[in-house]
Amino acid sequence: MSLRVGRPRSIDVAVEKTEDESIDQKQLIDVPEERGRDDELLAPDVRPAAERQLVRTLDLRLLPTIIVIFIMNYIDRANLTSARLQGLTQDLHLTEIQYSTVLAIFCASYCPFQVPSNMILNRLPRPSYFIPGCVILWGLISTLTGTTHNFIGILMCRLMIGFPEAAFYPGAMYLMSRWYTRKELAFRGAIIYGGLLISNAFGGLIAAGILSGMQDKLGIAAWRWLYYIEGSISMTVGIISIFTLPDYPHNTTWFSVQQRRLAQVRLAEDAGEADEDTAEDSAMHGLMLAVKDPKTWVFSLMNCIQLLGLGFINFFPTIAQTMGYSTTVTLLMTAPPWILSTIVCCVNSWHADRTGERFLHQCIPWWGVLIGYIIGVSSMSVGGRYVAMFLMACGYAGFALTLVWVANAIPRPPAKRSAAMGIINGIGNLGNLISSYTWKSTWSPDYHQSMYIGIACLASSSMLALLLRWMLIQENKQLERDEVENLKGARRERVEEAARLEGLTFEEALERKRGFRYLY
């Protein structure tokens, strides 16, 4: 005989009352009726339409907000490379080593702070305050960068801006993983990352307009105007996003009670467990689970090496300048490769969602970069170099899937997933730090040594991706062996919670969980 999991809601309410309080019988009668109303959208005849509406609402509010923030995130971060073309290094009297250090110091705060920021985000009930607060803070610091007059000043600004920016990308991906199922996440994650890629295009166009039209306006250098204008835009976006970002499925106020219940049920069905932390799943417990999982470290190393191999992104205008055009034309020429990259990124991730495959969708764009590097070391012609830049830019379509793959490979509990995302993205960005020194101006205009390093890194990251694929295949086989065993502790609690949300017996929820497999 199968028994339904969980106590009646009325009993839960009664338990929560203190001994001093009297319990009104009417309250106990009304609660089950409210519970019934919670279930309205779970009925088979209305659920498909309700679920489409839920996802559409998220797509119209969450995605655009994250995309705009991501565009400003990267534009504020990449201003340094554009400002360099218009006299920043001369005005601040920076040597080549000092400029490379200013680039690299960003990672000293950006990389290590991603782990605690994601752990904080997982424990905070209102990400709609936390993420916008970080956006406003980095916009302010970006604006203040325009007031610096020496190496120490700009160094401190670059160091400080890394703290609030660290919270955004892993935090945004974690927030999305709390709303979208595994089969929905890759394409939407790519759309988010497309915001970064398109920011490379529009960032160059905006920078070209500001740098060409604002020189000496009010006696201020154009590169300073670049920081003032774009930093102010970021602060405005941060304020607006407070009202457009959702919180979590259980507490987003602009969804109805029925929609919040449906959002929780969708994720519970997707993994056979409720997407909620139990009493045992503290932030530190989640961190320890992530640290003990070998996949975390393979992902981290792969991410670090791939970003070192893709380190050209911080020098893209400089690489384009080697073709011999003016500053304005150079910045304009950087836009088309990133527009193509955005399209490739979305198509690649859409197909990854359709097929459930991860390894090839991660690696094929890297292999395109390898071809671009080979062209780059083989030819100095303008046409050959420009084709190589298109292939290089498209390599980021692979990187866009990295945290999506992490969310698929380390799905539960949320405390572990959030910590793993922070670790992997934080360690991965050490590759960006190292790459600040692998595209030396002394190696220009051909940058052959830089491209050889990129070839070695992307070949190595491909091997690590293959190792991850093998590990996930082995874990799927282990899942098949473990399915006959009883679940215990926190894992059993999450299955019980999934059963409660879906209105199933424990046995029925366990049967659904038996369908879960890691995507590789």
Side-chain angles (χ1 to χ4, degrees), residues 77 110-111 114 169 193 300-314 366 373 396 399-400 402 424-436 438-439 454 457-458 461:
R77 193 189 316 172
Y110 182 78
C111 296
Q114 293 195 32
Y169 183 55
Y193 199 76
S300 297
L301 183 58
M302 182 191 78
N303 200 23
C304 180
I305 294 175
Q306 74 160 322
L307 285 175
L308 178 55
L310 299 172
F312 62 82
I313 192 170
N314 292 320
W366 296 346
Y373 282 151
Y396 272 87
F399 174 71
T402 302
I424 292 162
N425 207 54
I427 292 177
N429 274 279
L430 292 175
N432 276 330
L433 187 154
I434 299 168
S435 71
S436 300
T438 60
W439 290 83
C457 288
L458 293 177
S461 58

Side-chain angles (χ1 to χ4, degrees), residues 193-443:
Y193 199 76
L196 183 149
L197 299 178
I198 207 69
S199 73
N200 286 282
F202 290 112
L205 297 176
I206 294 170
I210 296 173
L211 294 176
S212 64
M214 296 298 291
Q215 181 63 33
D216 293 328
K217 296 292 184 182
L218 301 179
I220 299 172
W223 68 265
R224 295 186 187 277
W225 279 114
L226 184 66
Y227 281 106
Y228 295 157
I229 294 172
E230 294 184 349
S232 299
I233 295 173
S234 289
M235 287 189 283
T236 303
V237 168
I239 293 170
I240 295 172
S241 63
I242 294 173
F243 305 99
T244 56
L245 277 180
D247 293 309
Y248 294 122
H250 68 278
N251 67 342
T252 296
T253 55
W254 41 266
F255 276 130
S256 68
V257 174
Q258 293 86 353
Q259 288 176 312
R260 293 200 296 268
R261 177 79 184 280
L262 176 60
Q264 294 176 74
V265 168
R266 277 168 24 92
L267 294 181
E269 290 177 349
D270 187 50
E273 298 180 356
D275 194 38
E276 299 288 343
D277 291 321
T278 66
E280 298 177 14
D281 297 325
S282 65
M284 287 305 300
H285 180 64
L287 176 61
M288 293 309 300
L289 289 175
V291 167
K292 292 177 181 178
D293 192 332
K295 296 193 298 295
T296 301
W297 303 108
V298 179
F299 268 119
S300 297
L301 183 58
M302 182 191 78
N303 200 23
C304 180
I305 294 175
Q306 74 160 322
L307 285 175
L308 178 55
L310 299 172
F312 62 82
I313 192 170
N314 292 320
F315 299 87
F316 212 65
T318 304
I319 297 169
Q321 196 175 38
T322 64
M323 292 186 287
Y325 296 100
S326 67
T327 298
T328 301
V329 173
T330 294
L331 289 172
L332 293 175
M333 289 182 69
T334 62
W338 293 115
I339 292 172
L340 175 64
S341 178
T342 304
I343 295 170
V344 171
C345 181
C346 292
V347 172
N348 183 57
S349 297
W350 172 82
H351 194 259
D353 268 350
R354 294 276 292 184
T355 61
E357 202 279 334
R358 293 292 181 261
F359 168 73
L360 290 176
H361 291 84
Q362 178 95 40
C363 291
I364 288 176
W366 296 346
W367 300 340
V369 180
L370 292 178
I371 296 173
Y373 282 151
I374 292 170
I375 294 173
V377 299
S378 304
S379 172
M380 280 298 293
S381 68
V382 172
R385 284 246 149 174
Y386 202 41
V387 169
M389 289 178 67
F390 276 88
L391 291 170
M392 290 158 64
C394 290
Y396 272 87
F399 174 71
L401 280 178
T402 302
L403 285 191
V404 173
W405 198 4
V406 172
N408 297 155
I410 309 176
R412 300 291 186 271
K416 177 184 178 182
R417 183 170 77 240
S418 65
M421 284 180 161
I423 292 170
I424 292 162
N425 207 54
I427 292 177
N429 274 279
L430 292 175
N432 276 330
L433 187 154
I434 299 168
S435 71
S436 300
Y437 299 93
T438 60
W439 290 83
K440 299 179 180 179
S441 60
T442 53
W443 291 348

Side-chain angles (χ1 to χ4, degrees), residues 12-29:
D12 289 336
V13 173
V15 170
E16 290 171 2
K17 296 288 183 178
T18 62
E19 295 179 0
D20 299 341
E21 292 177 305
S22 63
I23 300 180
D24 183 52
Q25 186 64 30
K26 184 177 183 303
Q27 286 181 298
L28 297 180
I29 295 173

Side-chain angles (χ1 to χ4, degrees), residues 65 67-73 75-76 79 132 134-144 202-203 206-207 210 225-241:
T65 303
I67 289 170
V68 173
I69 294 175
F70 211 166
I71 290 174
M72 297 314 303
N73 174 268
I75 285 178
D76 283 346
N79 276 344
C134 292
V135 178
I136 295 169
L137 184 56
W138 86 53
L140 175 62
I141 297 171
S142 180
T143 304
L144 293 175
F202 290 112
I206 294 170
I210 296 173
W225 279 114
L226 184 66
Y227 281 106
Y228 295 157
I229 294 172
E230 294 184 349
S232 299
I233 295 173
S234 289
M235 287 189 283
T236 303
V237 168
I239 293 170
I240 295 172
S241 63

